[in-house]
Amino acid sequence: MFRYIVRRLLQMVLTFFGATFVVYALTFSFVDDPYQALVGERPLSSSQRAALDARYHLDDPFLTQYWHYVRNLLTGDFGESLTGRSIGAMLADAWLVTVRLSLLAVVIAAVIAVGAGVLSGIRRGGAFDTVTLVLTLAVLAMPIVVLAPLAQLVFGIQLGWFPVTATRDAGLHELLLPALVLGSLVVATELRVTRTAVAENLRADYVRTARAKGLAPRRVIGVHVLRNSLIPVITLIGVDIGALMSGAIVTEGVFNIPGVGFNLFRAIRTEDGPLVVGFVSVLVIVFLVINLIVDLLYAALDPRIRYE
């Protein structure tokens, strides 16, 4: 186990530097004129432009720029955005909001997906299974850019069940509707994977043996079938946590939530390269750490899995 963790950590280091290099290259290759995009129509003198280039090392060769960024990153310094604000401080404020929103969305999606998926797998071909399949198709066919404003209009404005927007210090009630919208991105996939895994495990030899020994159906399903069926679901949930953090751009924009997605979209729109790279670098770390945790959970769910 220890050797496996060390090997994975070394792979994570290589993946992190490779991913940040690609993101850095793509970000600053497609930036046309970030300063002019920042100041709008106001003229920017050549001396001001030169001072900004020297401050953000944009007058250096590309590899030198990336070296400055990595050197600062390794010391915990994310630098400054083009607006002069500390990226680290912006990350601290935005991540607290997005983590709460994403974790709430993951919990809601996992409870609905696992519960409905187990029932669909047990009653495969029945009325409940058919209804869930139709609903998941409808959710998969509806993009988030349509679902988010529609949910805000119906449940926030017309019915008044939820607040229309959420603040930085939003509580459970304010984040519930955005979390439901965000969780809809993954609940359909998780439900279908759970249904398929449960249906396959119900036909396995160990289930027939457990039933032949006289074990109660609740124990067969809850202990044996569910434990083996959760392995692919755990993989999806682990990936979905990182995906929801990075994919909350539309949801946070519609509900005016000052989180990672909201700030990342604003940075892309204003061509704020340092801010984009800083936020994406943290997202890469989140993806890598979550995938490592998911791999380690496999051994806890299936005793046949060993890391040598």
Side-chain angles (χ1 to χ4, degrees):
M1 174 70 76
F2 177 75
R3 294 178 59 186
Y4 174 79
I5 295 177
V6 172
R7 187 167 65 249
R8 283 298 305 271
L9 289 175
L10 293 176
Q11 293 175 356
M12 289 169 58
V13 171
L14 295 176
T15 304
F16 172 75
F17 283 110
T20 54
F21 180 81
V22 172
V23 171
Y24 196 92
L26 292 175
T27 300
F28 287 96
S29 295
F30 290 98
V31 172
D32 183 21
D33 191 352
Y35 306 135
Q36 197 62 51
L38 186 66
V39 300
E41 298 181 356
R42 291 178 297 176
L44 192 65
S45 65
S46 57
S47 60
Q48 292 175 323
R49 190 180 298 275
L52 290 172
D53 285 339
R55 180 178 180 180
Y56 294 101
H57 305 287
L58 296 183
D59 54 344
D60 295 332
F62 171 73
L63 292 179
T64 305
Q65 295 179 34
Y66 181 70
W67 163 247
H68 283 297
Y69 170 72
V70 171
R71 185 183 61 184
N72 294 332
L73 188 63
L74 293 177
T75 60
D77 182 12
F78 288 91
E80 294 182 349
S81 68
L82 295 182
T83 59
R85 294 185 60 189
S86 171
I87 297 178
M90 297 176 68
L91 278 168
D93 293 337
W95 274 103
L96 293 176
V97 182
T98 299
V99 166
R100 291 202 304 268
L101 176 63
S102 300
L103 290 181
L104 183 59
V106 167
V107 170
I108 293 173
V111 170
I112 295 175
V114 173
V118 170
L119 291 177
S120 297
I122 295 173
R123 303 173 182 177
R124 189 172 183 179
F128 183 81
D129 184 32
T130 303
V131 171
T132 55
L133 289 178
V134 172
L135 290 178
T136 53
L137 283 175
V139 173
L140 289 173
M142 186 174 296
I144 192 68
V145 294
V146 175
L147 185 60
L150 182 63
Q152 184 187 48
L153 174 64
V154 175
F155 299 104
I157 298 176
Q158 295 182 348
L159 298 178
W161 292 354
F162 301 97
V164 178
T165 60
T167 61
R168 179 178 286 105
D169 301 323
L172 177 62
H173 183 58
E174 291 184 57
L175 292 178
L176 188 56
L177 182 58
L180 288 170
V181 173
L182 193 58
S184 67
L185 293 173
V186 298
V187 67
T189 307
E190 292 177 5
L191 192 153
R192 284 175 169 259
V193 170
T194 305
R195 170 188 177 273
T196 303
V198 170
E200 290 179 354
N201 282 291
L202 283 174
R203 297 192 297 267
D205 293 336
Y206 71 89
V207 174
R208 287 194 292 268
T209 302
R211 287 173 174 171
K213 289 182 177 180
L215 293 180
R218 181 176 299 178
R219 181 173 177 81
V220 173
I221 299 296
V223 177
H224 299 284
V225 174
L226 185 59
R227 185 173 182 178
N228 288 283
S229 301
L230 282 180
I231 293 178
V233 181
I234 289 295
T235 304
L236 272 179
I237 293 176
V239 174
D240 290 341
I241 293 176
L244 290 178
M245 288 185 178
S246 60
I249 295 178
V250 176
T251 304
E252 291 184 353
V254 171
F255 292 94
N256 199 30
I257 303 174
V260 172
F262 182 84
N263 284 275
L264 190 57
F265 174 74
R266 185 173 58 182
I268 295 173
R269 186 181 58 187
T270 58
E271 298 184 1
D272 195 335
L275 188 58
V276 172
V277 175
F279 271 77
V280 174
S281 297
V282 178
L283 288 175
V284 171
I285 296 175
V286 171
F287 269 105
L288 294 175
V289 172
I290 290 176
N291 278 283
L292 176 61
I293 295 174
V294 168
D295 288 345
L296 296 178
L297 285 176
Y298 288 161
L301 292 172
D302 192 345
R304 295 171 297 179
I305 298 176
R306 290 290 183 269
Y307 296 112
E308 300 294 342

